[in-house]
Amino acid sequence: MLKSKTFVKKTRSGGIMKIVREHYLRDDIWCGSEVCTECKQEESVLQKDACIESNLCSFPHYLLPDTNVVLSQIDILEDPLIKNAIILQTVLQEVRHRSAPIYKRLKDILHDKEKHFYTFTNEHHRETYIEREQGESANDRNDRAIRISTKWYSDHLNNKGLKVVLLTNDRGNKEKAEEAGLLTYRCEEYVKSLIANPELVDRLALTNDDKNEITSSKVLFSEHLPLSRIQSGIKSGTFQQGTFRASRDNYLEATVFVHGEGDDSTEVLIQGLQNLNRAVHQDLVAVEILPLNQWVAPSSVVLQDEGPKEDDVTEEEEAELKSGLSGVASRKPTGRVVGIIKRNWRPFCGMLFLSQIKEATRHLFTPADRRIPRIRIETRQAATLAGQRIMVAIDGWPKHSRYPNGHFVRSLGSAGDKETETEVLLLEHDVPHQDFSQAVLSFLPKMPWNITEEDMAVREDLRNLTVCSVDPPGCTDIDDALHCRDLPNGNQEVGVHIADVSHFIRPGNAMDLEAANRGTTVYLTGRRIDMVPELLSSNLCSLRSSVERLAFSCIWEINDKAEIVQTRFTKSVINSKASLTYAEAQMRIDDANMNDDTTKSLRGLNRLAKILKKRRIEKGALTLSSPEVRFHIDSETHDPIDLQTKELKETNSMVEEFMLLANISVAQKIYDEFSECALLRKHPAPPPSNYDILNKAAKSKDLVIHTDSAKALADSLDAAQVDGFPYFNTLLRILATRCMMQAVYFCSGMDSDFHHYGLASPIYTHFTSPIRRYSDIIVHRLLAVAIGADSTYPDLMDKHKQSALCNNLNYRHKMAQYAQRASVAFHTQLFFKSRGILNEEGFILFVRKNAIIVLIPKFGLEGTVFFQNKDKPSPKLIFNEEISGVSVAPSEPEAKRAKLDR
């Protein structure tokens, strides 16, 4: 059966186009139930014994949730207890348009065979398709379509002992369903009737009626403006839109990052609970800039929300905030939030702060991320959840409530447990860490795998070269290997050989899509979350010694002054002669008695690397610092038994120099070939205001830091020495690191500024780590097309799709860095847990009005020490103050730490 609509449309050129839309209807679409004998279905999803113990429904039944139930109660639908549900095509399409994250979760439920959720394509079934009536809204038409489908199912299964229950929280929809004789309940009603799992009630998202119940009558916040007012205000310039970024150190302060045209972006300071106006970290908000005489400076007070308060802001809080305000000279554009354009809420991890009222069911949840406000939830299992890490979702934030309202999602395990805390940091940093699906694994090569004659025919055979790899101890995902040999003309040939991951991961298949989503491998203390399956990362792609491997090689002819005479790129086959650690490679170079081919190759590489590094630094490349630690882990308990700062050797620098050189060479090649769609990496120069903390520190020792260019900064840092205080220079470099902007991936056709500030390079990319970075896989594909070693595909040449990919990669890389630092912080806490108070040398990094930020170099440990007496004056800003007997917990990762971009 065919339904068609015909209408005309005016084109841009002024012509008239006739459009005919055809909608095919069928009568052979299955109902999906095991009990049905009428539908000639090949397989069924809905079970015949669909029994859930319920006070309302004591008979077998299927659930049919409407769109709003799916959107608001997805946590309920995910629970293992809820099975045998019908998801209509109408609902699926509406959810897809309204919430991408919930749509993905719904699709995951539909794919889970244990859940028995069935998608019914009601929009193409002859008896359930309806057309929109004149004057009927799209929403009302969809509600009617849901009721028609529920009626069809009820009639279809009526004589088979099964009923269909429509779940809806829409009062009007429920009334009309009941008038039509349909069995219908509100979601909350149905869940509370379940006998098997009373705890499921805690996972109910609050409805509007519930939200009003648990808030006070006093209005604490101004009403959010409607979207129409916001849009017109932005258009007229009355309001600005930007991303809300809450402060880690002061819960009454935030900034809104307002994007301008090009690099013209500003940060608007927001202070005070009323001005923050219920915005949550990472929300897209509209702000109104206050008059100039109301601008303020960032507060120097470290202020944390210390627990349950009445639904009001105390005078003490506001007074403490104002006490930390700096002088007029440091005032910044200041504003207030007038509306929310887009919420960026997700389930948050943290712990329950139990109410002091006996047998209370309402409690405050404290998120692990200090930038997220506490959340009020209702639960009947508070005693069980005490001491547990749990997940909670926000349902709303009424203007009468000091805190947002939310609901319990699930428990993660006991706080302090290694597995639990690792799960928390992975979830909090949005790191995909589920097992690889069968769809992904199906694209792995069949074992045993060997290099074929076809492979050898299109590759250069470099198995005779003395190639070796140099990596940290215990490394199994070896991306890169090097060689160096003398040429007859007196020059040297140097090769960087990179694992040819793109040979195994072909564009567009399930493994490629999964790698693109993950973006990067994440290295935690004692655990690695791979971007690609282990068969590739630790075996077939890993350039281990004494096995033949496929590689992508960048080979230079270099003269004695480390100047490049010639560069070539080739797909190759190599056989590494040694897999060395940095220490082993260093010992070979230093041992005069060793003169084998591998050692000679290493010495040649090391000599050239020193020249390359010296030249790079002369051009203005930065040598910065950040304290890093290495743990020694007990092989049985997996607890940290020793902790020390990482020691860098010459061989670290040797490998780094040639990786940088390869990345620069490849960047130039792919840009020359594909000026519009090359995937590159840049490091923007920091704005002058970023250097305030560095300049302040230098000034305390009567030093001056010049920041007009990377070279000026590098030279100033080299000259910044203080007699009797050798560590001061390292402290300055740590602070300089925090002044840096984040390096980012971008598509060459979407940007004009390619410069990499930290490396002082006009162009740069990532080519050298395709096992652990998806960016490098794309760069390999571009380079392969450039040298005629592979064919292109549409997405590779689409600059808009490349740009969207870069956005995801930048996000994943940033989250991976934060997750890695959080893992180090947690293991540092484990290390100190049973060691009591230690006496170690420490340095004050920052002074706040009521606290100092301390760094203990030996352990790379940084934390906040609060003054016990609030009336005590602030100490003088000095950096060589020794801290004795101070127990400091690691702080959360700083947002702007950067390292050399190998």
Side-chain angles (χ1 to χ4, degrees):
M1 185 177 173
L2 176 67
K3 293 269 185 183
S4 65
K5 284 184 180 178
T6 305
F7 57 95
V8 293
K9 180 182 176 184
K10 190 174 182 180
T11 64
R12 285 184 180 178
S13 60
I16 299 295
M17 180 188 292
K18 182 180 178 182
I19 296 177
V20 179
R21 283 191 180 158
E22 295 181 340
H23 191 90
Y24 290 89
L25 300 180
R26 304 172 57 164
D27 53 12
D28 60 349
I29 294 174
W30 309 329
C31 68
S33 173
E34 278 182 350
V35 299
C36 180
T37 53
E38 295 172 33
C39 298
K40 297 184 173 68
Q41 45 202 11
E42 294 173 8
E43 59 177 354
S44 51
V45 174
L46 301 165
Q47 297 171 298
K48 58 184 174 186
D49 53 344
C51 292
I52 301 179
E53 288 186 86
S54 163
N55 294 326
L56 290 175
C57 307
S58 57
F59 40 79
H61 59 277
Y62 299 147
L63 299 176
L64 198 154
D66 73 0
T67 306
N68 286 327
V69 166
V70 173
L71 287 168
S72 62
Q73 306 292 354
I74 188 70
D75 293 321
I76 295 290
L77 298 179
E78 285 176 329
D79 192 276
L81 182 70
I82 305 299
K83 296 181 179 180
N84 293 294
I86 300 157
I87 303 297
L88 299 178
Q89 181 187 0
T90 304
V91 171
L92 198 60
Q93 288 172 344
E94 274 198 287
V95 170
R96 183 180 183 182
H97 289 135
R98 289 171 62 181
S99 174
I102 291 178
Y103 177 72
K104 184 182 182 305
R105 290 168 71 180
L106 182 58
K107 291 290 282 184
D108 289 341
I109 297 173
L110 289 165
H111 289 141
D112 183 354
K113 292 184 178 178
E114 297 292 316
K115 294 282 289 174
H116 300 281
F117 272 50
Y118 179 66
T119 307
F120 179 64
T121 50
N122 63 302
E123 297 290 355
H124 290 278
H125 194 290
R126 183 165 54 84
E127 293 182 42
T128 57
Y129 172 76
I130 60 167
E131 292 191 17
R132 185 171 164 186
E133 295 175 350
Q134 192 168 359
E136 187 177 39
S137 70
N139 187 60
D140 287 345
R141 181 264 169 205
N142 289 341
D143 283 348
R144 189 160 59 88
I146 291 167
R147 294 194 299 273
I148 293 289
S149 295
T150 308
K151 181 78 168 65
W152 179 85
Y153 257 106
S154 299
D155 294 343
H156 186 71
L157 300 174
N158 187 40
N159 59 352
K160 300 175 177 66
L162 265 159
K163 295 190 177 181
V164 176
V165 175
L166 172 62
L167 295 181
T168 180
N169 291 331
D170 184 310
R171 192 172 298 167
N173 195 27
K174 185 173 186 290
E175 287 172 0
K176 288 176 182 176
E178 287 170 340
E179 286 170 11
L182 300 178
L183 185 61
T184 180
Y185 297 109
R186 288 189 301 115
C187 187
E188 180 188 5
E189 243 185 315
Y190 178 78
V191 169
K192 286 182 176 178
S193 79
L194 298 177
I195 300 164
N197 189 358
E199 291 83 13
L200 193 58
V201 173
D202 288 352
R203 300 184 70 180
L204 279 167
L206 295 176
T207 63
N208 287 329
D209 292 341
D210 297 327
K211 290 173 192 173
N212 293 332
E213 258 180 53
I214 63 171
T215 58
S216 70
S217 57
K218 184 177 179 180
V219 176
L220 298 178
F221 301 99
S222 57
E223 195 82 59
H224 286 149
L225 296 179
L227 206 53
S228 57
R229 282 272 308 280
I230 290 172
Q231 287 168 340
S232 61
I234 290 170
K235 194 173 181 180
S236 67
T238 308
F239 306 139
Q240 306 286 326
Q241 73 168 355
T243 305
F244 183 88
R245 294 176 178 171
S247 168
R248 289 181 190 277
D249 298 324
N250 189 331
Y251 76 101
L252 294 178
E253 188 169 271
T255 55
V256 172
F257 188 76
V258 178
H259 295 276
E261 290 189 14
D263 295 329
D264 184 23
S265 299
T266 57
E267 282 192 352
V268 179
L269 184 65
I270 314 288
Q271 277 189 353
L273 209 62
Q274 277 80 17
N275 288 340
L276 296 174
N277 199 7
R278 297 171 286 156
V280 176
H281 183 63
Q282 293 294 347
D283 282 350
L284 187 62
V285 301
V287 293
E288 179 183 41
I289 307 294
L290 298 174
L292 190 62
N293 63 356
Q294 294 182 39
W295 288 14
V296 295
S299 173
S300 61
V301 169
V302 178
L303 199 57
Q304 296 176 3
D305 190 350
E306 293 176 353
K309 297 181 179 72
E310 295 300 318
D311 276 340
D312 202 352
V313 189
T314 64
E315 291 179 10
E316 184 186 346
E317 288 174 311
E318 293 289 0
E320 196 168 352
L321 174 67
K322 288 173 183 174
S323 74
L325 299 184
S326 306
V328 174
S330 51
R331 292 191 309 180
K332 293 190 171 183
T334 307
R336 67 184 187 97
V337 174
V338 296
I340 308 295
I341 298 169
K342 185 182 179 184
R343 288 291 192 188
N344 198 35
W345 294 346
R346 57 176 174 82
F348 300 103
C349 303
M351 295 184 71
L352 208 57
F353 194 103
L354 297 186
S355 170
Q356 300 303 307
I357 302 169
K358 194 177 180 182
E359 296 182 5
T361 58
R362 291 170 190 159
H363 307 271
L364 277 183
F365 164 81
T366 303
D369 188 341
R370 291 205 303 265
R371 296 168 299 185
I372 306 300
R374 292 172 184 248
I375 302 165
R376 184 183 279 114
I377 70 167
E378 189 157 339
T379 176
R380 291 152 188 78
Q381 47 181 331
T384 308
L385 297 178
Q388 298 270 309
R389 289 284 193 184
I390 64 172
M391 288 183 78
V392 162
I394 297 178
D395 298 323
W397 196 341
K399 62 184 178 182
H400 305 87
S401 175
R402 166 68 186 273
Y403 299 108
N405 298 324
H407 67 274
F408 168 75
V409 176
R410 65 186 172 104
S411 175
L412 299 169
S414 300
D417 174 74
K418 277 204 298 292
E419 290 300 316
T420 301
E421 297 298 340
T422 300
E423 180 73 6
V424 167
L425 73 88
L426 290 172
L427 289 168
E428 279 294 291
H429 296 97
D430 196 16
V431 175
H433 58 285
Q434 68 279 9
D435 291 340
F436 289 104
S437 68
Q438 283 305 312
V440 171
L441 298 176
S442 69
F443 285 96
L444 288 171
K446 301 294 181 283
M447 297 299 286
W449 174 85
N450 290 298
I451 296 172
T452 65
E453 290 182 12
E454 290 80 8
D455 292 329
M456 293 300 299
V458 295
R459 292 174 179 269
E460 194 168 335
D461 189 349
L462 303 180
R463 291 175 293 182
N464 62 310
L465 295 180
T466 307
V467 172
C468 69
S469 60
V470 184
D471 290 283
C475 179
T476 60
D477 53 342
I478 303 173
D479 286 288
D480 54 87
L482 304 103
H483 87 269
C484 177
R485 64 174 178 175
D486 295 331
L487 295 175
N489 63 1
N491 290 338
Q492 287 181 299
E493 179 186 87
V494 174
V496 166
H497 310 278
I498 306 299
D500 190 5
V501 182
S502 61
H503 172 85
F504 297 95
I505 301 180
R506 303 308 296 164
N509 68 24
M511 185 154 42
D512 182 49
L513 297 176
E514 181 67 21
N517 177 48
R518 293 189 177 213
T520 181
T521 292
V522 181
Y523 296 90
L524 306 180
T525 303
R527 182 178 173 189
R528 186 180 82 202
I529 291 107
D530 282 325
M531 181 185 78
V532 298
E534 191 177 15
L535 179 63
L536 297 183
S537 64
S538 295
N539 188 349
L540 302 184
C541 291
S542 183
L543 305 182
R544 301 183 300 180
S545 58
S546 306
V547 289
E548 294 178 358
R549 288 289 179 257
L550 303 179
F552 210 150
S553 301
C554 174
I555 300 171
W556 304 278
E557 182 182 338
I558 299 181
N559 65 21
D560 247 12
K561 297 176 183 177
E563 296 167 334
I564 297 172
V565 177
Q566 183 182 310
T567 307
R568 67 189 182 91
F569 307 98
T570 182
K571 292 261 187 168
S572 61
V573 179
I574 65 167
N575 189 323
S576 174
K577 304 301 184 282
S579 298
L580 306 172
T581 65
Y582 291 117
E584 289 168 347
Q586 192 66 54
M587 283 190 290
R588 279 175 175 261
I589 291 169
D590 296 341
D591 189 344
N593 296 319
M594 294 193 74
N595 286 296
D596 57 278
D597 288 345
T598 299
T599 304
K600 287 178 182 176
S601 177
L602 288 169
R603 287 182 185 138
L605 290 165
N606 198 39
R607 184 187 71 79
L608 291 169
K610 288 177 181 178
I611 302 171
L612 289 169
K613 183 174 184 178
K614 182 172 180 289
R615 186 181 302 144
R616 200 165 50 78
I617 290 171
E618 285 170 355
K619 286 181 179 177
L622 297 175
T623 305
L624 301 178
S625 180
S626 61
E628 290 189 74
V629 294
R630 181 182 297 283
F631 293 96
H632 294 280
I633 304 291
D634 186 284
S635 58
E636 291 184 9
T637 65
H638 302 291
D639 287 335
I641 54 176
D642 193 17
L643 179 154
Q644 62 191 52
T645 50
K646 290 182 182 178
E647 181 188 351
L648 299 181
K649 302 182 182 298
E650 274 187 3
T651 44
N652 290 78
S653 179
M654 175 192 80
V655 172
E656 185 168 59
E657 287 306 317
F658 285 107
M659 297 304 115
L660 293 174
L661 189 62
N663 287 335
I664 292 168
S665 297
V666 171
Q668 193 62 59
K669 177 67 176 176
I670 61 173
Y671 177 64
D672 289 344
E673 293 288 334
F674 308 108
S675 61
E676 286 292 297
C677 58
L679 191 153
L680 302 176
R681 188 162 172 84
K682 69 173 181 175
H683 183 209
S689 60
N690 276 30
Y691 289 115
D692 289 350
I693 57 168
L694 180 63
N695 290 326
K696 196 172 182 180
K699 193 177 178 182
S700 73
K701 294 295 179 185
D702 298 321
L703 297 171
V704 177
I705 302 293
H706 298 286
T707 58
D708 6 1
S709 69
K711 177 150 179 57
L713 176 61
D715 292 343
S716 296
L717 289 172
D718 288 343
Q721 304 292 337
V722 174
D723 293 339
F725 190 2
Y727 194 73
F728 184 76
N729 187 265
T730 304
L731 282 173
L732 285 183
R733 292 180 190 276
I734 289 170
L735 291 178
T737 301
R738 299 176 190 201
C739 298
M740 294 298 113
M741 303 292 282
Q742 196 88 26
V744 291
Y745 297 109
F746 69 101
C747 177
S748 58
M750 305 291 282
D751 208 328
S752 56
D753 177 19
F754 293 7
H755 189 73
H756 196 295
Y757 180 81
L759 298 174
S761 176
I763 194 166
Y764 193 66
T765 195
H766 272 164
F767 162 76
T768 53
S769 295
I771 292 176
R772 62 184 178 91
R773 290 189 303 233
Y774 188 75
S775 55
D776 303 50
I777 292 177
I778 295 295
V779 169
H780 276 227
R781 289 173 181 169
L782 288 164
L783 183 61
V785 176
I787 65 171
D790 206 344
S791 55
T792 186
Y793 56 98
D795 284 6
L796 193 66
M797 298 295 138
D798 187 326
K799 67 181 182 180
H800 297 286
K801 288 188 177 176
Q802 286 280 48
S803 186
L805 173 65
C806 288
N807 290 339
N808 180 60
L809 296 180
N810 291 329
Y811 172 72
R812 292 295 188 203
H813 276 258
K814 183 171 67 174
M815 289 296 104
Q817 283 183 338
Y818 292 171
Q820 285 158 205
R821 291 177 198 148
S823 179
V824 169
F826 172 65
H827 281 80
T828 305
Q829 287 175 323
L830 282 184
F831 175 74
F832 284 111
K833 198 173 182 180
S834 58
R835 284 170 171 75
I837 295 177
L838 303 179
N839 290 324
E840 293 294 343
E841 184 179 54
F843 299 97
I844 298 172
L845 279 181
F846 307 105
V847 176
R848 300 286 183 253
K849 191 83 175 175
N850 61 337
I852 51 176
I853 315 299
V854 176
L855 172 71
I856 300 174
K858 180 177 178 181
F859 303 120
L861 194 63
E862 184 185 321
T864 304
V865 182
F866 288 92
F867 299 146
Q868 289 183 339
N869 182 359
K870 291 184 180 180
D871 298 323
K872 184 178 176 181
S874 300
K876 188 180 176 184
L877 179 61
I878 47 178
F879 279 80
N880 56 350
E881 182 83 343
E882 190 164 322
I883 310 295
S884 298
V886 176
S887 177
V888 186
S891 69
E892 295 180 58
E894 293 284 339
K896 290 176 181 173
R897 283 186 194 166
K899 293 171 66 180
L900 264 184
D901 209 356
R902 174 184 162 193

